[in-house]
Amino acid sequence: QRHQQQQQQQQQREQQITKDRWDPVWTQKVIERWELSDELIEKFWCLKNQVSDVEHSLNAPVLFREMIRTRGLFTPNRDQIMTMYRPTNKMMNNIPFGILDALDNEGDPIVLDRMGQYNIKSTMTDFTEEEVLVHLEWKGELIQNGYWRKEYERKQKKPIKKMLLIMDMYGFSQQHTTPAALRLFAQMMKRIQIYPENLKKIIMIRAPALSRVGWALAKPFMKPKLRQKVMFVGPNYLKVLEEYMDTTLLPDIINAKGKGAILSPFPPNT
């Protein structure tokens, strides 16, 4: 009878862990298996609001370990970059992106990246490689940990688990397939893959034929799991996007009938 009680308790415990994948017992298994240092344990817990559940760390430990190790890898003060760095207007214009002031059909945030409008020549001429890398770090941190997340969580009363990424390829040209451009895209891919669980879909819209060449060159820098999330959409992109969101919430640069807007990249008081 005691043995049966113990089995029942164990089953109840396992059911509870299944419901809460960030259960302390579950996460402790990961910490012990990896023999994480105190510093990495702290970073590990920082991922709680960025990854749907810690079970992923047991199923794909190499990728998950990379996620916590990479924080701080590219720049010395990545965790403080939101307060230490402010991009110039030229840099923002050269690498345009933003978070839509809208949600998708599942109530998740939408990130719009206008890769086709990247001004590669100006970026590589007017800025050093280090400046570009710092900007990419800031861009990633803004999307993942920017001020806007707190406002979202306050209104939606839930943490952000997933995001929809729309990449507008309109304007993609030869300048985007140069060695300098490929280096830039390679660095971007490395940073996107730090948070693979966040992205539920990457939809490439208004993609000219040349963008397929760029895609073929960029694929080697992407892990298979991320590649599987990429979808190229042709002229019917608005119809396809309707499956994921209300397209009238897109800005008019994407949808002529759209009335949407981009959230400011900076907090209102800066």
XYZ file of all heavy atoms in Angstrom, residues 101-177:
648
model
N 2.323 47.864 -33.904
C 1.377 48.198 -32.845
C 0.110 47.386 -33.088
O -0.973 47.920 -33.334
C 1.083 49.698 -32.876
C 0.287 50.140 -31.649
O 0.122 49.325 -30.716
O -0.182 51.294 -31.645
N 0.279 46.072 -33.074
C -0.805 45.138 -33.385
C -0.387 43.747 -32.939
O 0.792 43.500 -32.656
C -1.103 45.139 -34.890
N -1.358 42.846 -32.888
C -1.103 41.455 -32.510
C -1.609 40.544 -33.612
O -2.492 40.907 -34.388
C -1.805 41.116 -31.190
C -1.438 41.989 -29.983
C -2.289 41.595 -28.783
C 0.040 41.880 -29.654
N -1.055 39.342 -33.690
C -1.534 38.394 -34.686
C -2.819 37.726 -34.200
O -3.355 38.076 -33.141
C -0.439 37.384 -35.054
C -0.102 36.422 -33.911
O -0.831 36.398 -32.893
O 0.893 35.695 -34.027
N -3.298 36.762 -34.947
C -4.574 36.124 -34.622
C -4.541 35.323 -33.325
O -5.593 34.951 -32.797
C -5.017 35.219 -35.770
C -5.375 36.004 -37.014
O -5.656 37.200 -36.949
N -5.363 35.342 -38.168
N -3.353 35.038 -32.830
C -3.223 34.292 -31.576
C -2.840 35.204 -30.413
O -2.522 34.733 -29.327
C -2.178 33.179 -31.743
C -2.591 32.125 -32.767
C -1.550 31.040 -32.932
O -0.364 31.288 -32.611
O -1.918 29.939 -33.372
N -2.858 36.510 -30.670
C -2.557 37.461 -29.608
C -1.080 37.659 -29.349
O -0.700 38.160 -28.289
N -0.246 37.278 -30.312
C 1.196 37.410 -30.144
C 1.736 38.613 -30.922
O 1.138 39.031 -31.931
C 1.902 36.135 -30.625
C 1.549 34.935 -29.768
O 1.456 35.104 -28.534
O 1.356 33.831 -30.321
N 2.873 39.163 -30.489
C 3.455 40.327 -31.164
C 3.924 40.000 -32.583
O 4.203 38.845 -32.919
C 4.650 40.694 -30.277
C 4.384 40.042 -28.967
C 3.628 38.793 -29.277
N 4.012 41.054 -33.394
C 4.451 40.936 -34.780
C 5.660 41.841 -34.999
O 5.588 43.045 -34.729
C 3.334 41.336 -35.759
C 2.061 40.527 -35.489
C 3.798 41.164 -37.204
C 0.843 41.061 -36.228
N 6.741 41.268 -35.478
C 7.938 42.038 -35.807
C 8.008 42.187 -37.325
O 7.840 41.206 -38.054
C 9.221 41.339 -35.298
C 10.459 42.152 -35.672
C 9.150 41.148 -33.783
N 8.231 43.417 -37.784
C 8.355 43.684 -39.213
C 9.778 44.121 -39.509
O 10.255 45.120 -38.979
C 7.382 44.780 -39.646
C 7.483 45.250 -41.108
C 7.189 44.098 -42.060
C 6.547 46.421 -41.362
N 10.467 43.346 -40.330
C 11.847 43.652 -40.724
C 11.854 43.900 -42.232
O 11.498 43.023 -43.012
C 12.764 42.479 -40.373
C 14.235 42.872 -40.396
O 14.665 43.489 -41.396
O 14.948 42.568 -39.428
N 12.285 45.091 -42.639
C 12.261 45.452 -44.060
C 13.628 45.203 -44.692
O 14.334 46.111 -45.121
C 11.830 46.906 -44.221
C 10.456 47.188 -43.593
C 9.896 48.480 -44.096
N 9.581 48.380 -45.517
C 9.575 49.434 -46.342
N 9.875 50.634 -45.892
N 9.281 49.263 -47.626
N 13.996 43.948 -44.770
C 15.312 43.569 -45.260
C 15.566 44.069 -46.685
O 16.694 44.421 -47.035
C 15.485 42.048 -45.203
C 16.855 41.572 -45.656
S 17.068 39.780 -45.529
C 17.251 39.586 -43.768
N 14.539 44.106 -47.504
C 14.710 44.560 -48.874
C 15.124 46.010 -48.982
O 15.615 46.448 -50.033
N 14.936 46.761 -47.882
C 15.291 48.180 -47.872
C 16.612 48.448 -47.149
O 16.983 49.613 -46.970
C 14.171 48.993 -47.214
C 12.857 48.947 -47.973
C 12.969 49.565 -49.350
O 13.505 50.654 -49.517
N 12.472 48.853 -50.361
N 17.306 47.406 -46.743
C 18.605 47.612 -46.096
C 19.541 48.350 -47.053
O 19.704 47.936 -48.208
C 19.254 46.280 -45.728
C 18.684 45.599 -44.501
C 17.507 46.034 -43.908
C 19.323 44.496 -43.955
C 16.996 45.391 -42.806
C 18.817 43.845 -42.843
C 17.645 44.306 -42.272
O 17.137 43.665 -41.179
N 20.164 49.411 -46.571
C 21.149 50.138 -47.372
C 22.530 49.609 -47.006
O 23.197 50.128 -46.111
C 21.045 51.641 -47.112
C 21.857 52.453 -48.099
O 22.888 52.005 -48.616
N 21.414 53.676 -48.361
N 22.929 48.554 -47.693
C 24.174 47.874 -47.361
C 25.385 48.771 -47.624
O 26.304 48.865 -46.794
C 24.311 46.566 -48.167
C 23.105 45.655 -47.894
C 25.613 45.863 -47.811
C 22.961 45.231 -46.467
N 25.394 49.448 -48.762
C 26.538 50.270 -49.129
C 26.798 51.363 -48.093
O 27.921 51.543 -47.632
C 26.316 50.907 -50.505
C 27.499 51.737 -50.989
C 27.251 52.281 -52.388
C 28.445 53.114 -52.848
N 28.230 53.659 -54.224
N 25.752 52.066 -47.708
C 25.903 53.126 -46.714
C 26.312 52.566 -45.362
O 27.167 53.133 -44.668
C 24.591 53.899 -46.568
O 24.672 54.842 -45.515
N 25.718 51.443 -44.982
C 26.035 50.843 -43.685
C 27.504 50.467 -43.599
O 28.177 50.749 -42.595
C 25.162 49.595 -43.446
O 23.787 49.975 -43.469
C 25.492 48.955 -42.107
N 28.014 49.844 -44.648
C 29.402 49.385 -44.626
C 30.400 50.517 -44.867
O 31.570 50.409 -44.519
C 29.596 48.281 -45.671
C 28.786 47.028 -45.371
S 29.103 46.415 -43.695
C 27.964 45.038 -43.599
N 29.930 51.614 -45.458
C 30.817 52.752 -45.727
C 30.879 53.717 -44.550
O 31.957 54.220 -44.202
C 30.334 53.525 -46.981
O 30.328 52.648 -48.096
C 31.254 54.709 -47.277
N 29.727 53.975 -43.941
C 29.635 55.004 -42.906
C 29.834 54.491 -41.489
O 29.960 55.291 -40.562
C 28.271 55.699 -42.993
C 28.065 56.381 -44.338
O 29.071 56.761 -44.964
O 26.899 56.510 -44.764
N 29.846 53.167 -41.316
C 29.986 52.607 -39.974
C 31.044 51.508 -39.975
O 31.244 50.831 -40.983
C 28.650 52.028 -39.488
C 27.542 53.033 -39.418
C 26.635 53.160 -40.467
C 27.405 53.863 -38.315
C 25.608 54.080 -40.414
C 26.376 54.790 -38.260
C 25.480 54.905 -39.309
N 31.703 51.352 -38.839
C 32.670 50.269 -38.708
C 31.928 48.962 -38.489
O 30.741 48.948 -38.119
C 33.612 50.507 -37.523
O 32.850 50.447 -36.297
C 34.292 51.864 -37.630
N 32.622 47.853 -38.697
C 32.005 46.542 -38.472
C 31.571 46.395 -37.024
O 30.519 45.830 -36.737
C 32.985 45.431 -38.853
C 32.382 44.043 -38.739
C 33.316 42.957 -39.231
O 34.366 43.290 -39.819
O 32.992 41.772 -39.041
N 32.367 46.921 -36.099
C 32.017 46.833 -34.684
C 30.733 47.606 -34.396
O 29.877 47.141 -33.633
C 33.155 47.389 -33.824
C 32.874 47.303 -32.324
C 34.028 47.834 -31.495
O 35.063 48.207 -32.081
O 33.884 47.876 -30.265
N 30.584 48.779 -35.002
C 29.364 49.566 -34.805
C 28.142 48.823 -35.329
O 27.069 48.865 -34.712
C 29.500 50.918 -35.505
C 30.456 51.877 -34.816
C 30.672 53.150 -35.611
O 30.713 53.076 -36.860
O 30.806 54.227 -34.987
N 28.298 48.156 -36.456
C 27.189 47.395 -37.026
C 26.814 46.232 -36.105
O 25.635 45.968 -35.857
C 27.535 46.877 -38.432
C 26.415 45.977 -38.960
C 27.770 48.038 -39.392
N 27.817 45.545 -35.572
C 27.547 44.411 -34.682
C 26.844 44.870 -33.412
O 25.920 44.203 -32.929
C 28.854 43.701 -34.336
C 29.547 42.969 -35.486
C 30.835 42.312 -35.001
C 28.631 41.928 -36.114
N 27.274 45.998 -32.867
C 26.626 46.526 -31.670
C 25.170 46.874 -31.981
O 24.269 46.607 -31.175
C 27.377 47.767 -31.139
C 26.559 48.467 -30.052
C 28.731 47.368 -30.588
N 24.946 47.444 -33.140
C 23.568 47.787 -33.518
C 22.709 46.530 -33.629
O 21.537 46.529 -33.205
C 23.551 48.544 -34.844
C 22.172 48.920 -35.281
N 21.449 49.936 -34.683
C 21.365 48.406 -36.254
C 20.265 50.027 -35.260
N 20.190 49.112 -36.218
N 23.256 45.476 -34.212
C 22.496 44.227 -34.330
C 22.190 43.647 -32.959
O 21.117 43.066 -32.736
C 23.265 43.224 -35.186
C 23.421 43.584 -36.669
C 24.232 42.511 -37.385
C 22.063 43.766 -37.331
N 23.130 43.809 -32.019
C 22.879 43.357 -30.648
C 21.730 44.146 -30.042
O 20.826 43.587 -29.418
C 24.140 43.547 -29.793
C 25.296 42.656 -30.171
C 25.004 41.199 -29.898
O 23.945 40.882 -29.307
O 25.830 40.363 -30.252
N 21.788 45.463 -30.221
C 20.728 46.317 -29.688
C 19.384 45.959 -30.309
O 18.361 45.888 -29.620
C 21.070 47.780 -29.979
C 19.947 48.721 -29.661
C 19.646 49.277 -28.453
C 18.961 49.216 -30.578
N 18.538 50.082 -28.550
C 18.100 50.062 -29.848
C 18.730 49.027 -31.942
C 17.021 50.711 -30.434
C 17.657 49.670 -32.529
C 16.818 50.513 -31.778
N 19.380 45.731 -31.611
C 18.150 45.353 -32.312
C 17.553 44.083 -31.713
O 16.351 44.009 -31.443
C 18.450 45.157 -33.794
C 17.277 44.665 -34.623
C 17.707 44.402 -36.068
C 16.588 43.770 -36.872
N 17.018 43.438 -38.254
N 18.397 43.077 -31.506
C 17.930 41.823 -30.920
C 17.398 42.004 -29.519
O 16.359 41.439 -29.146
N 18.098 42.819 -28.715
C 17.662 43.044 -27.343
C 16.368 43.843 -27.291
O 15.522 43.616 -26.427
C 18.754 43.769 -26.556
C 19.918 42.888 -26.160
C 19.477 41.765 -25.231
O 18.985 42.063 -24.125
O 19.612 40.597 -25.612
N 16.213 44.786 -28.215
C 14.975 45.560 -28.251
C 13.786 44.643 -28.523
O 12.738 44.750 -27.875
C 15.053 46.633 -29.333
C 13.764 47.427 -29.557
C 13.461 48.305 -28.352
C 13.848 48.267 -30.820
N 13.954 43.744 -29.475
C 12.867 42.827 -29.821
C 12.582 41.861 -28.671
O 11.430 41.594 -28.327
C 13.213 42.045 -31.105
C 13.254 43.010 -32.302
C 12.204 40.929 -31.351
C 13.758 42.378 -33.578
N 13.647 41.363 -28.050
C 13.472 40.337 -27.026
C 13.196 40.895 -25.641
O 12.454 40.294 -24.863
C 14.717 39.445 -26.972
C 14.958 38.657 -28.234
C 13.855 37.651 -28.504
O 13.188 37.196 -27.589
N 13.662 37.308 -29.770
N 13.787 42.041 -25.306
C 13.711 42.541 -23.931
C 13.421 44.029 -23.845
O 13.680 44.639 -22.813
C 15.029 42.240 -23.198
C 15.347 40.769 -23.170
O 14.549 39.964 -22.704
N 16.507 40.392 -23.681
N 12.915 44.631 -24.929
C 12.669 46.069 -24.938
C 11.534 46.492 -24.019
O 10.755 45.668 -23.525
N 11.444 47.795 -23.814
C 10.436 48.369 -22.921
C 9.017 47.951 -23.313
O 8.122 47.826 -22.468
C 10.536 49.900 -22.958
C 9.944 50.503 -24.205
C 8.635 50.985 -24.219
C 10.657 50.530 -25.395
C 8.070 51.496 -25.373
C 10.102 51.036 -26.545
C 8.805 51.532 -26.539
O 8.259 52.011 -27.683
N 8.795 47.743 -24.607
C 7.459 47.451 -25.117
C 6.905 46.149 -24.565
O 5.684 45.966 -24.487
C 7.484 47.385 -26.650
C 8.270 46.224 -27.166
C 9.615 46.169 -27.369
C 7.764 44.938 -27.524
N 9.991 44.934 -27.824
C 8.871 44.157 -27.939
C 6.496 44.372 -27.553
C 8.737 42.835 -28.354
C 6.359 43.055 -27.967
C 7.472 42.307 -28.366
N 7.798 45.222 -24.159
C 7.349 43.931 -23.637
C 6.533 44.105 -22.348
O 5.522 43.442 -22.142
C 8.539 43.008 -23.372
C 9.276 42.561 -24.617
C 10.434 41.639 -24.247
N 9.960 40.416 -23.650
C 9.873 39.246 -24.286
N 10.225 39.174 -25.558
N 9.449 38.178 -23.675
N 6.995 45.014 -21.475
C 6.275 45.229 -20.220
C 4.873 45.767 -20.486
O 3.910 45.389 -19.808
C 7.059 46.193 -19.334
C 8.377 45.626 -18.811
C 9.073 46.601 -17.899
C 10.375 46.022 -17.378
N 11.090 46.972 -16.486
N 4.775 46.656 -21.479
C 3.462 47.201 -21.818
C 2.558 46.107 -22.379
O 1.360 46.034 -22.050
C 3.620 48.328 -22.842
C 2.336 49.042 -23.195
C 1.718 49.808 -22.029
O 2.409 49.972 -20.998
O 0.555 50.206 -22.140
N 3.126 45.240 -23.213
C 2.353 44.112 -23.756
C 1.864 43.213 -22.625
O 0.680 42.853 -22.575
C 3.232 43.307 -24.719
C 2.618 41.977 -25.136
C 1.842 41.882 -26.288
C 2.808 40.829 -24.369
C 1.261 40.672 -26.657
C 2.232 39.621 -24.736
C 1.467 39.553 -25.879
O 0.894 38.349 -26.229
N 2.765 42.851 -21.723
C 2.409 41.928 -20.654
C 1.407 42.553 -19.692
O 0.569 41.859 -19.114
C 3.677 41.485 -19.931
C 4.559 40.605 -20.828
C 5.912 40.310 -20.222
O 6.189 40.805 -19.104
O 6.707 39.595 -20.867
N 1.485 43.883 -19.534
C 0.514 44.557 -18.675
C -0.882 44.504 -19.294
O -1.869 44.212 -18.611
C 0.930 46.018 -18.452
C -0.002 46.788 -17.500
C 0.395 48.246 -17.431
N 0.139 48.930 -18.687
C -1.068 49.384 -19.050
N -2.119 49.222 -18.247
N -1.228 50.013 -20.193
N -0.962 44.752 -20.604
C -2.263 44.766 -21.276
C -2.815 43.369 -21.478
O -4.009 43.128 -21.296
C -2.134 45.466 -22.629
C -1.901 46.962 -22.540
C -1.834 47.580 -23.935
C -1.661 49.081 -23.868
N -1.595 49.690 -25.226
N -1.939 42.441 -21.892
C -2.408 41.093 -22.214
C -2.463 40.172 -21.002
O -3.011 39.076 -21.077
C -1.501 40.467 -23.283
C -1.406 41.275 -24.568
C -2.754 41.458 -25.228
O -3.551 40.535 -25.316
N -3.015 42.674 -25.714
N -1.817 40.613 -19.910
C -1.792 39.827 -18.675
C -1.185 38.430 -18.883
O -1.653 37.436 -18.327
C -3.202 39.704 -18.082
C -3.785 41.039 -17.628
C -5.173 40.878 -17.055
C -5.670 42.142 -16.398
N -5.474 43.379 -17.147
N -0.147 38.401 -19.691
C 0.579 37.151 -19.917
C 1.956 37.486 -20.477
O 2.129 38.524 -21.134
C -0.175 36.246 -20.897
C -0.281 36.821 -22.304
C -0.942 35.832 -23.259
C -0.973 36.387 -24.681
N -1.578 35.419 -25.630
N 2.950 36.644 -20.227
C 4.279 36.888 -20.797
C 4.305 36.544 -22.275
O 3.457 35.793 -22.774
C 5.180 35.936 -19.998
C 4.274 34.819 -19.611
C 2.931 35.455 -19.358
N 5.261 37.117 -22.978
C 5.412 36.827 -24.401
C 6.108 35.481 -24.552
O 7.186 35.262 -24.025
C 6.236 37.922 -25.095
C 5.469 39.246 -25.055
C 6.542 37.544 -26.545
C 6.261 40.419 -25.572
N 5.483 34.591 -25.289
C 6.065 33.279 -25.550
C 6.477 33.124 -27.009
O 7.473 32.475 -27.317
C 5.055 32.180 -25.188
C 4.664 32.155 -23.720
C 5.825 31.801 -22.817
C 5.374 31.636 -21.375
N 6.495 31.321 -20.476
N 5.692 33.706 -27.914
C 5.942 33.539 -29.338
C 5.830 34.884 -30.050
O 5.191 35.812 -29.562
C 4.932 32.561 -29.956
C 4.971 31.155 -29.376
C 6.197 30.396 -29.842
C 6.158 28.959 -29.335
N 7.338 28.194 -29.804
N 6.470 34.965 -31.214
C 6.358 36.146 -32.062
C 6.243 35.712 -33.515
O 6.748 34.660 -33.904
C 7.592 37.042 -31.929
C 7.823 37.632 -30.571
S 9.213 38.785 -30.610
C 9.665 38.791 -28.885
N 5.584 36.559 -34.300
C 5.508 36.363 -35.740
C 6.460 37.356 -36.387
O 6.394 38.548 -36.107
C 4.077 36.599 -36.231
C 3.857 36.531 -37.749
C 4.107 35.125 -38.264
C 2.444 36.993 -38.091
N 7.345 36.866 -37.244
C 8.310 37.727 -37.925
C 7.942 37.822 -39.403
O 7.876 36.811 -40.103
C 9.726 37.172 -37.775
C 10.832 37.883 -38.570
C 10.913 39.356 -38.205
C 12.179 37.197 -38.342
N 7.669 39.039 -39.846
C 7.408 39.308 -41.260
C 8.618 40.027 -41.831
O 9.017 41.083 -41.322
C 6.149 40.173 -41.443
C 4.921 39.466 -40.859
C 5.926 40.491 -42.915
C 3.664 40.321 -40.867
N 9.203 39.462 -42.867
C 10.358 40.079 -43.504
C 9.941 40.568 -44.894
O 9.625 39.765 -45.773
C 11.522 39.094 -43.588
C 11.959 38.570 -42.232
S 13.625 37.865 -42.192
C 14.621 39.347 -42.154
N 9.937 41.881 -45.049
C 9.550 42.493 -46.318
C 10.787 42.556 -47.225
O 11.739 43.275 -46.941
C 9.005 43.895 -46.058
C 8.563 44.585 -47.334
O 8.317 43.882 -48.334
O 8.462 45.833 -47.320
N 10.744 41.808 -48.313
C 11.893 41.715 -49.210
C 11.800 42.675 -50.398
O 12.649 42.642 -51.293
C 12.021 40.278 -49.722
C 12.093 39.230 -48.633
S 13.475 39.478 -47.504
C 14.854 39.039 -48.572
N 10.786 43.541 -50.398
C 10.631 44.480 -51.507
C 11.863 45.387 -51.598
O 12.262 46.006 -50.611
C 9.382 45.329 -51.306
C 9.141 46.329 -52.419
C 8.584 45.920 -53.626
C 9.471 47.671 -52.257
C 8.362 46.829 -54.657
C 9.262 48.584 -53.275
C 8.712 48.148 -54.473
O 8.505 49.048 -55.488
N 12.463 45.460 -52.781
C 13.656 46.269 -52.970
C 14.946 45.471 -52.921
O 16.033 46.018 -53.133
N 14.831 44.174 -52.653
C 16.025 43.321 -52.597
C 16.712 43.335 -53.964
O 16.089 43.110 -54.996
C 15.629 41.892 -52.230
C 16.784 41.020 -51.831
C 17.148 40.896 -50.505
C 17.507 40.325 -52.785
C 18.209 40.080 -50.122
C 18.566 39.524 -52.430
C 18.922 39.404 -51.090
N 18.025 43.624 -53.969
C 18.746 43.806 -55.236
C 20.159 43.240 -55.130
O 20.519 42.582 -54.134
C 18.806 45.288 -55.602
O 19.540 46.011 -54.604
N 20.966 43.543 -56.122
C 22.341 43.030 -56.175
C 23.159 43.440 -54.956
O 24.024 42.692 -54.506
C 23.037 43.522 -57.452
C 22.514 42.910 -58.744
C 22.945 41.461 -58.908
O 23.809 40.957 -58.196
N 22.324 40.772 -59.865
N 22.888 44.621 -54.408
C 23.668 45.079 -53.257
C 23.490 44.159 -52.047
O 24.335 44.119 -51.159
C 23.287 46.513 -52.866
C 21.907 46.656 -52.248
C 21.768 47.883 -51.370
O 22.723 48.330 -50.733
N 20.562 48.450 -51.347
N 22.395 43.412 -52.039
C 22.120 42.515 -50.918
C 22.770 41.139 -51.075
O 22.625 40.286 -50.203
C 20.613 42.348 -50.741
C 19.895 43.614 -50.400
N 19.228 44.364 -51.344
C 19.764 44.286 -49.233
C 18.704 45.429 -50.774
N 19.013 45.413 -49.485
N 23.483 40.938 -52.178
C 24.152 39.648 -52.394
C 25.673 39.803 -52.447
O 26.370 38.861 -52.793
C 23.668 39.002 -53.706
O 23.967 39.863 -54.811
C 22.180 38.739 -53.667
